[in-house]
Every structure is written in C-alpha cells, then in structure tokens.
Amino acid sequence: MAGASGGALAAEVTAAGAFGFLAAGYLDPASLRKELALARGILVLAASDRLPVGVGYLAWKLEKSTDAEAEEMLAAALDNHVQAIWLAFGVHIDKWIRYIRTYDEKHRRRDPTLIFVQIPSVEDAVVAVKNWKVDVLVAQGNESGGHGYRAAPPLLTLVSSILQVLPEDAPPLLAAGGMTNGRHVASLLILGADGVVLGTRFLATTASLYTEAQKRALIAAKSGSTMRTMAFDRVRGTVEWPAGVDGRALYNSTVKDVEEGVDIHIAEEKFKKGVQDGDPDRMLVWAGTGVDLISGISTAKDVVNELHDVTLERLEMASKLYTGN
Ligand SMILES: Cc1cc2nc3c(=O)[nH]c(=O)nc-3n(C[C@H](O)[C@H](O)[C@H](O)COP(=O)(O)O)c2cc1C
C-alpha cells in the first residue's frame, strides 16, 4: 500500500503468520532499500537470507521512468531476495515480469521470485494466467480501498466470473476489496478464492505509516463514508495513472470541491493545509468499503490472529450447515 505499508508493517504481518507486502509506490531506490533493511532487521534475518515479504510496484511509475531507473527500483527488491513482487496499474506489466524472470535466471535462483499481479476483470485475468504465467492472481473488486479500476465489478461477481473461466491448473486466486474481518474472509474462501488480500484493515495498525489523524478518521468512518474519486490525485498532482483508474477514499470537502469545479489551485491549497493540520475534512484517507468495521488501532499481529480465528470459526459453522451437525 503506497504511502502506508513500509518495512515495519510488512515484517509484522509476515511475523504474525500472514504474508506482508511493502510498497515501492512513490519511493526512490535508496528509500526502498531502507524499508527492506528495516523488515530484515525486524525479522532478525542475515543479509544473505531470503526475505519473506513482498514488494508492490506501481507499474505505471516504472513505465514513466527510464529503463535504467526502473531496473534500479526492481533491483532493490531482487538484490534483497524478496519472496514476491506485486505488479499492478501498468500497460506493460509483461515487460517487468520478463525482467524479473531474467534476473532470477541470471542469478540462478533456486527459489524464483513469486510474481503477483492484481487485475480488475475476467479478461485481464485470462491474459495474466495464459500469456504472462503469473504465480499468483489477485482479483481486485470495486470495494477496494486505494486505487483500482472504476469499472471493476464487485468482488463477489469478479471472483465467481474469473473462477468460471480459469483452467484447472491456474495459479492461486486471491480476492481483494472491502474485507475487514474473518466473516468476510470466510465468505470469499467459500466462494472459491484460494486466499485474500486486506489493505484498509492494516492501515489502522500501529506499524502502518498512516498518521494518527488518518487512523482516527478510519475509526470514525461509517458505512457509506467512502467513494471512488480522482479528486485527491488531482490536488496531489499524481494524475498519470492508466486510463480507467481512480481511487476509493473517505469522502470529504476536498472531493466535494473538486467535483463541484472549485478552482483546482484553491482546492490544492486547502488540501495541503488540511494535511498539515490533520483535518479529516480535507486530508486524504484511502479506504475500502469495509472501513466502518474498524473500531480501533491494533498491532498487525492482533489483526492477523483475529482474522485467522474468526475465519476458522465461520468455516466451521459453514461446514455444520452442510453436515447438519
Ligand atoms: C492506502 C492504500 C494504498 C494502496 N496502494 C496500492 C499500491 O501501491 N499498489 C497496488 O497494487 N494496490 C494498492 N492498494 C490496493 C490494495 O492492493 C488492495 O487491492 C486493497 O487494499 C484491497 O481493498 P481493502 O483496502 O478494502 O482491503 C492500496 C490500498 C490502500 C488502502
């Protein structure tokens, strides 16, 4: 999660028994290496050990860079022998996949980097599996916090439709979007997903890079507080996303102003001041539709444990429905 998931959050999630990703997002290579070193330190690993976290790249950022700059960004993760790389939001994702596979071959990696690709449609799922041969497919539903494709179907529909067309030997399919608790997770597993991805839930943890004000806003949010918008990208000047992408965030006066056509420079000034002041009515808080179920700030470990326990409990309940016991 760009701007929210650094080395500490990724390492804590992995240490808790899930698998954590840190975001390359808008970082430069040196800052990315620092976050990776932080994760390695928290997990108490030697420099030569494989790093059991992943790094998520915004493919459009790589595509806006020179090849040398993009390769330097990817090398930061690959030299650190991360277990996985996540790619999304690009038009040449296959190019970065080829680069990673070639790097692994050149370095004779016995355990190649797992490539996760996040997609918003059945058509993209087919390309990712058949043409790109990804290791893990992530279906991102419309409910998702942060950036996503505005035309993505709701997760329930998207996962079912993808399962319908995937071949038998397809890679694992993970579901992403709008999940906050074990009830959500269990329902997606029963639907047929092999696993799940939660973002927003981990924003409200001690290790997330979100500010205290942003975390308070997440806790205060109600059902229906989020909406998809480009307003925050416009006031931040991050408008180079591929066509069809916007982001789901907490609705506030920044969104209202931009959508009502207030002069963008005025909206931008108010946004900047709002960020400085921690003003929930102006600042940016990316959030998925499950945000209303977040009631406090916990450690990543507690979140993972709770998700695990409640998921098991719900799956057990579901199996009783089937057996009648
Ligand atoms: C703050 C934030 C930053 C995100 N950054 C990225 C990113 O850099 N790359 C990406 O592929 N997805 C990103 N996402 C989307 C997540 O990969 C995932 O699809 C989403 O968080 C799932 O929905 P949820 O937030 O409702 O759990 C981000 C989400 C959030 C909330």
Side-chain angles (χ1 to χ4, degrees):
M1 293 187 290
S5 178
L9 181 54
E12 287 192 17
V13 168
T14 289
F19 187 78
F21 274 89
L22 65 93
Y26 303 97
L27 299 181
D28 58 29
S31 312
L32 176 55
R33 283 183 191 270
K34 240 165 115 179
E35 293 300 328
L36 287 161
L38 179 62
R40 191 173 286 284
I42 291 170
L43 293 168
V44 202
L45 295 168
S48 55
D49 290 335
R50 191 174 200 203
L51 189 55
V53 299
V55 176
Y57 288 89
L58 299 173
W60 69 264
K61 284 284 290 174
L62 298 174
E63 287 158 18
K64 297 280 171 197
S65 316
T66 63
D67 277 0
E69 286 165 348
E71 287 168 14
E72 202 187 339
M73 275 304 281
L74 289 166
L78 292 165
D79 294 349
N80 258 287
H81 208 167
V82 297
Q83 203 163 342
I85 285 187
W86 169 301
L87 296 161
F89 307 125
V91 285
H92 299 298
I93 287 184
D94 50 329
K95 173 176 171 178
W96 312 115
I97 293 178
R98 277 198 305 277
Y99 179 80
I100 296 163
R101 301 269 193 239
T102 307
Y103 178 102
D104 282 348
E105 277 164 26
K106 250 182 19 205
H107 290 77
R108 297 181 196 282
R109 288 263 161 97
R110 271 182 295 130
D111 41 7
T113 315
L114 293 173
I115 297 179
F116 287 54
V117 169
Q118 181 168 252
I119 47 87
S121 70
V122 176
E123 293 73 20
D124 287 357
V126 171
V127 171
V129 170
K130 293 203 172 149
N131 301 1
W132 303 344
K133 312 222 176 318
V134 302
D135 298 304
V136 180
L137 193 60
V138 183
Q140 187 190 36
N142 198 281
E143 303 89 334
S144 291
H147 287 91
Y149 285 82
R150 105 176 39 97
L155 194 56
L156 200 69
T157 310
L158 180 60
V159 169
S160 304
S161 306
I162 292 175
L163 287 170
Q164 188 86 10
V165 299
L166 282 189
E168 284 259 309
D169 59 350
L173 174 67
L174 309 188
M179 278 173 275
T180 308
N181 60 30
R183 290 171 185 268
H184 292 146
V185 177
S187 67
L188 266 297
L189 294 178
I190 289 174
L191 185 66
D194 296 295
V196 293
V197 173
L198 280 83
T200 301
R201 181 65 191 92
F202 286 93
L203 295 176
T205 57
T206 47
S208 119
L209 300 175
Y210 260 27
T211 63
E212 289 309 310
Q214 286 172 307
K215 291 178 189 177
R216 276 198 300 277
L218 289 167
I219 294 165
K222 307 256 178 302
S223 126
S225 293
T226 71
M227 73 173 293
R228 306 200 67 93
T229 178
M230 273 306 277
F232 293 106
D233 286 295
R234 290 197 59 205
V235 292
R236 293 192 311 177
T238 49
V239 289
E240 295 172 287
W241 293 85
V245 171
D246 61 8
R248 186 178 287 283
L250 297 183
Y251 179 84
N252 63 17
S253 293
T254 298
V255 183
K256 183 167 178 283
D257 280 0
V258 173
E259 294 198 345
E260 285 179 356
V262 168
D263 183 320
I264 196 68
H265 297 106
I266 295 174
E268 195 181 309
E269 282 312 308
K270 288 187 176 173
F271 168 70
K272 279 188 187 151
K273 185 167 183 323
V275 171
Q276 264 170 16
D277 297 347
D279 177 2
D281 195 39
R282 288 284 164 189
M283 68 189 180
L284 164 58
V285 185
W286 297 119
T289 54
V291 67
D292 62 308
L293 290 166
I294 297 177
S295 57
I297 299 168
S298 343
T299 61
K301 183 178 179 190
D302 285 345
V303 173
V304 171
N305 286 342
E306 192 185 316
L307 286 169
H308 175 264
D309 293 350
V310 177
T311 301
L312 277 188
E313 179 193 299
R314 300 317 299 175
L315 290 176
E316 248 172 55
M317 286 293 295
S319 72
K320 280 183 189 153
L321 287 176
Y322 175 68
T323 60
N325 294 321

